[in-house]
Amino acid sequence: MSLTKSTVNDKAYAIDAYLGSISSKLRRDRDDRYQVEAVQWAVRRKREDQGRHECEVLSCGNEAAESEYIWNNCTKNPGHNKFIPAPRFCTDHLPEWARYPWMLDYVQLVSELTVRLRVSFTSLKRPKGYSFYNHRGSKLPRFGSGFVQDVSYVEDTCPCRECKNSPTPAKAWFCMYIETACHVEFDKKEAEATEINFFYDDESSLTDGRVETIFALDIVVKSQDKDFSVLLCATHDKNLGQKMFKYKLKLDSLLYLNKWRGGIVEDFASLFCLIVSHPHGRAKHITVGETERFIKDGTLIQVRYTTDTCRGSSGAPVSVINFCKGVKHISLFKGRGPHSETLCVKGKTLNMSTEFLSSDSTNVYKSLAQSKPMAASSVFMLLFRRAFLATSVFLNVYFVFFSGQIF
Ligand SMILES: [Zn+2]
Ligand SMILES: [Zn+2]
């Protein structure tokens, strides 16, 4: 076939169109790559903007895949060998002198009460020099951990996000106070942009419906110096509220009993420090280490520990337990505070909580509880809680003095 002018032109147009489509695809790919690189750069900048604190920052894409990538490429704790997935924690992971069944109960209860926080806004009111100051207004999500410090039942119109937009709001709700670090949750604007994930115990719990999510409403107390803040949350989900109430009640009873036991002995031989957190925004993990030192500065009590933490551990409950060696079952729960930051002292990595055993925070919960409207059912729950505690103490005294064992 001879080539006419028109067939040559057709071929030339076809080739041009083909090359054009390739170049526009290359352009698109290049633009996508630039966009991805720009987001990654912004994420890195935001992570660095928090100083020594340990929030995780992710882009707005596939968060599960991104946090897995970061977990696998972590430089602070490569391999995460000391991070034990919460469901697999057993007495073998505790120091030998601390291997008591009640200790495992304590760890499990703290684990159930630990939550993941996903904050998708950075307040414009963060002061100059404070963490994330240069990212005010940013919507890149950051992840931290928190602890359900108090649960109560209120018979009134539910103030949760869902009920606010509903013509038929629930008429009763559970009020929860969640303690975390101030650099994780700074003010009301950040609280309103916070998702709270309960029961994120393993990676499959995100997809099989075990994780339950509610939104925070406000911050009721905060201290920048002590690096703690308390979120107010509401849920009319009876199942979730009752579960958290039950865990908190059990934990209070267990601590009450162990405080009483610890009062017998003053000479403590060992301390250990345990943290339940969501490292890199992933499922719950538990780390165990030792308390390095307590630093008292006026009303401020800092505790430094060797227990491993990673980004995402900010705000996680740090528990310190005392044990008296050689005396059977004698122990004392020393205190708990939110994890704050990581530091390097003489070439050694140490982690730190800056609000520890603070009487302020205890008083905070008391005054909050008093200011709340108390429904008849709340009064019943309070009485039930007191009766439960009294019975536990009575049984404990009975077993110690009459049977030589401890309940
Ligand atoms: Zn890590
Ligand atoms: Zn509601």
Side-chain angles (χ1 to χ4, degrees):
M1 193 182 79
S2 63
L3 287 172
T4 61
K5 201 177 173 184
S6 66
T7 52
V8 169
N9 280 344
D10 285 350
K11 283 197 172 176
Y13 290 140
I15 290 168
D16 273 357
Y18 175 66
L19 289 175
S21 73
I22 286 181
S23 63
S24 65
K25 186 177 178 311
L26 284 175
R27 226 178 8 250
R28 261 203 320 275
D29 285 353
R30 187 199 58 197
D31 291 348
D32 286 351
R33 209 167 52 241
Y34 283 164
Q35 213 174 345
V36 169
E37 280 172 13
V39 172
Q40 283 173 349
W41 181 79
V43 166
R44 272 199 304 274
R45 285 285 309 272
K46 188 166 177 180
R47 273 182 206 143
E48 287 160 10
D49 193 26
Q50 62 181 316
R52 300 188 309 223
H53 298 305
E54 294 199 287
C55 289
E56 186 54 281
V57 179
L58 300 178
S59 61
C60 303
N62 184 339
E63 286 169 4
E66 199 181 346
S67 62
E68 187 182 354
Y69 176 82
I70 297 165
W71 172 272
N72 292 333
N73 293 280
C74 175
T75 50
K76 187 184 176 194
N77 293 301
H80 295 99
N81 298 326
K82 291 184 182 167
F83 286 74
I84 304 137
R88 279 193 239 147
F89 194 89
C90 62
T91 42
D92 293 349
H93 296 116
L94 292 165
E96 254 179 60
W97 60 87
R99 291 179 185 169
Y100 300 117
W102 74 265
M103 192 62 230
L104 195 61
D105 290 346
Y106 171 80
V107 178
Q108 278 166 354
L109 289 168
V110 170
S111 173
E112 296 292 1
L113 291 161
T114 299
V115 293
R116 183 179 80 157
L117 304 175
R118 181 187 185 278
V119 194
S120 56
F121 182 66
T122 303
S123 172
L124 298 170
K125 290 189 177 161
R126 288 199 174 227
K128 198 170 183 183
Y130 196 53
S131 61
F132 300 121
Y133 172 77
N134 296 308
H135 287 80
R136 287 163 299 151
S138 161
K139 291 186 176 170
L140 279 178
R142 65 177 176 280
F143 292 79
S145 306
F147 180 75
V148 179
Q149 185 67 44
D150 192 64
V151 187
S152 56
Y153 182 66
V154 183
E155 281 180 343
D156 201 354
T157 307
C158 177
C160 84
R161 196 182 277 192
E162 196 186 318
C163 288
K164 255 185 184 171
N165 300 318
S166 164
T168 52
K171 292 290 170 206
W173 55 287
F174 283 88
C175 171
M176 290 190 212
Y177 291 122
I178 294 179
E179 190 175 70
T180 184
C182 186
H183 69 271
V184 180
E185 296 284 354
F186 185 75
D187 62 9
K188 187 175 181 176
K189 285 275 175 222
E190 293 189 0
E192 286 171 341
T194 300
E195 254 180 43
I196 298 151
N197 304 128
F198 296 81
F199 316 121
Y200 183 16
D201 296 335
D202 52 55
E203 291 313 318
S204 58
S205 53
L206 260 189
T207 46
D208 65 13
R210 272 181 289 152
V211 171
E212 298 201 39
T213 300
I214 62 170
F215 293 89
L217 297 177
D218 200 354
I219 281 192
V220 281
V221 191
K222 74 166 179 184
S223 165
Q224 237 173 277
D225 295 341
K226 295 180 178 181
D227 198 20
F228 86 96
S229 57
V230 179
L231 288 170
L232 167 68
C233 313
T235 179
H236 55 260
D237 181 341
K238 234 178 173 180
N239 193 28
L240 174 64
Q242 281 174 348
K243 262 190 203 169
M244 299 325 276
F245 184 86
K246 189 181 78 186
Y247 293 140
K248 190 67 188 51
L249 180 65
K250 279 187 176 178
L251 183 68
D252 285 350
S253 320
L254 197 141
L255 292 183
Y256 193 79
L257 291 176
N258 285 289
K259 229 179 204 174
W260 178 79
R261 281 181 203 163
I264 302 168
V265 189
E266 289 299 324
D267 177 27
F268 298 108
S270 308
L271 282 173
F272 87 92
C273 175
L274 179 136
I275 300 177
V276 185
S277 73
H278 287 278
H280 301 295
R282 282 171 70 81
K284 220 172 267 174
H285 281 74
I286 300 172
T287 44
V288 179
E290 282 173 12
T291 311
E292 221 259 347
R293 64 186 290 210
F294 286 88
I295 302 164
K296 214 171 172 187
D297 178 13
T299 57
L300 208 70
I301 301 172
Q302 298 179 349
V303 60
R304 292 180 180 178
Y305 32 87
T306 59
T307 314
D308 282 347
T309 55
C310 269
R311 285 197 309 269
S313 298
S314 272
V318 177
S319 305
V320 175
I321 313 284
N322 282 7
F323 277 85
C324 186
K325 234 176 183 173
V327 182
K328 202 182 171 191
H329 285 231
I330 297 297
S331 60
L332 176 67
F333 172 76
K334 196 164 177 62
R336 191 177 50 234
H339 171 64
S340 176
E341 58 189 79
T342 185
L343 36 134
C344 188
V345 183
K346 294 176 187 167
K348 189 178 174 188
T349 302
L350 286 177
N351 303 307
M352 186 166 87
S353 170
T354 47
E355 191 274 327
F356 203 76
L357 275 175
S358 163
S359 55
D360 284 11
S361 60
T362 324
N363 292 336
V364 162
Y365 295 113
K366 274 186 193 156
S367 59
L368 283 173
Q370 280 161 7
S371 65
K372 252 179 336 206
M374 194 172 277
S377 46
S378 296
V379 175
F380 172 74
M381 279 181 167
L382 191 72
L383 291 173
F384 176 70
R385 190 190 290 234
R386 285 188 182 161
F388 187 85
L389 287 174
T391 313
S392 304
V393 172
F394 170 76
L395 285 172
N396 211 23
V397 172
Y398 174 80
F399 279 108
V400 168
F401 291 103
F402 298 100
S403 69
Q405 290 176 2
I406 289 183
F407 175 58

